[in-house]
Each structure stands twice: as C-alpha cells, then as structure tokens.
Amino acid sequence: QGLVSCLNKATGEPRWRTDLATVAEAPMPTWGFSSSPIILGDRLFLNANQSGLALDKKTGELLWNSPSESCGYAAPVPFTCRNQPALAIFGMKAMHVVAQNNGKLLWKVDWPTKMGENSADPLIIGGKLLLSSWWKMGAALFDPNKDSTTALWTNKQFQNHISAPVLHNGLLYGFDGSVHRKTDKGALRCVKASTGETLWSKDGLKGSLIISGNKLLILSNNGTLLVVKTSPTGYQELARHEGLGKRTWPPPVLHQGLLYVRDADGWATCLDLR
C-alpha cells in the first residue's frame, strides 16, 4: 500500500512512518509496492513513482522525488555511472538511471512490458546494465555510460520474469518463462554475459535462484530445492529436497549455512545445509 515504516529493533515500536501516497503522491501499481527498499548511508531509496525517490532513513522525510507515475517491481540497484553514485530504477515503462544525491536522470531506455510488469532486478556487469522481463521482452545488455540506447546484445529466450539472473565467472544463470502460467514449462538457461549466447538449457524448470560459491541454490515453483553446479557445459544437479510449499516464488535466503524459504501461503521453512 506504500506505507513505509521504521521500527525499533528491540520492541517493534514505530519510530516513523511515511505514507507514499500522501507524501510523495505515488500511485500504487497493479500488484502493490513490491520492491525491496535499499539503504545507503543515511538514505533509503525506493522504486516508487516514475524513477524512484529517497527518504531520510532517520526521519522518513522525503529528500527527492520523481514524477507521479505507477512504478515497476524491481529493487533499486546502486552502481557507479558517469563517474558518480547512481541507481538503476526499473520503472513501469522504462529503465531509469538516476543520481543518488538528487534523483537527476542520467540515462534512460524505454522498456514497455505488458501490464508494466518489470519485476526482475537489473544486474550490473562491469558498469553495464542487464535488463530482463517476461512478456516476450527477453534480456538485453546496455552501457548507460554512453548516450546510446542501442543494446550491446539481446536474447529473446532469456525472459526472467520475477527472479533476477545471477552472474558467475562470466556466465549468467536464470529462468526463461512466466512463473505462474502452467502452459509455460520454463527453462533454466546458462548465457554468456559478454555476448548473450545461450550455452545450455534445462527445460521444465522455473522458480527463483541464488548463488553460493560455485553452486546454484534453486527454489522451483512447486517447492523443490535444487543444488546445481555452475558449469558452462551443462546442467549438473548435486542434490534436491522436495515439499517446501506451494507457489514458492521468493528467492531463498542463505545465512551461515542455514537456508530460509517461504511460500505464498505464509509458511516458512529453515533447512540446515551445513
């Protein structure tokens, strides 16, 4: 709904609350404000309105804003662009790169997706920017340090719907296909980051994934955890654990050998991987 809250860690009591609809005139997108807030220094950045906004993390005060418009669903991604601290804000209709200090637009490329469903977090690869969406958009790599909006490469069979791809040793691992359509069986793909070439695919697999060392931790849509070795030559499954819930779209979280998983029904599970 756009209510941003800062809570006392020990007691849960609110320190401040900011209503984005009132303070920032931010309209709620179709599926609600879904991106993660990002804290850098004393500022809290949000993907809201056309190209993001910033709050004072200590008070909730609005520091800078962007034009009132429904936003995308990806988290703001910090990186350095044009020799200054910047943010990649995946909006409803375009990717915006803005300055962290004042929200000034540094670079923009149109990325119109059906339903404005830009959900997968953008990925920074050596100062370049990888975008990916479902709805036949696929993936594309851009250089926002240049004035051109021509893609360095595109791959229409790398449609990361919600889970962002991961990068390891110059290779991208991610899912092609929608998370919810049963007719779309999906595929895990390995793509060369420098050229966009697909090296291999594992059909019939979709969900979310993270990386730890040289292993992919994949949580499929039906609640199956897969441990897969990163490799340029093909799919190599090392282990699996089933029965972790229904509609497990969120990525798992790994902390000191413990893996935390949740599903859409609200069930949380902790697995000991040590």
Side-chain angles (χ1 to χ4, degrees), residues 13-66:
E13 291 296 315
R15 292 187 174 180
W16 55 259
R17 280 184 172 152
T18 297
D19 186 343
L20 298 183
T22 301
V23 174
E25 299 182 352
M28 187 177 74
T30 304
W31 292 282
F33 293 98
S34 305
S35 69
S36 300
I38 300 297
I39 294 176
L40 298 170
D42 289 334
R43 296 190 171 195
L44 185 152
F45 298 101
L46 296 167
N47 186 352
N49 277 332
Q50 185 182 84
S51 55
L53 59 84
L55 303 178
D56 185 314
K57 78 169 185 181
K58 296 179 180 179
T59 66
E61 175 190 359
L62 182 66
L63 299 178
W64 59 257
N65 199 2
S66 59

Side-chain angles (χ1 to χ4, degrees), residues 206-222:
K206 57 184 179 179
S208 60
L209 81 168
I210 60 174
I211 191 166
S212 177
N214 63 347
K215 297 180 179 67
L216 302 174
L217 300 178
I218 296 171
L219 183 62
S220 73
N221 274 12
N222 61 2

Side-chain angles (χ1 to χ4, degrees), residues 140-159:
L141 185 69
F142 297 93
D143 188 347
N145 293 285
K146 298 179 179 180
D147 293 335
S148 172
T149 56
T150 301
L152 301 175
W153 58 254
T154 60
N155 185 332
K156 293 295 185 179
Q157 281 71 52
F158 200 47
Q159 303 178 80

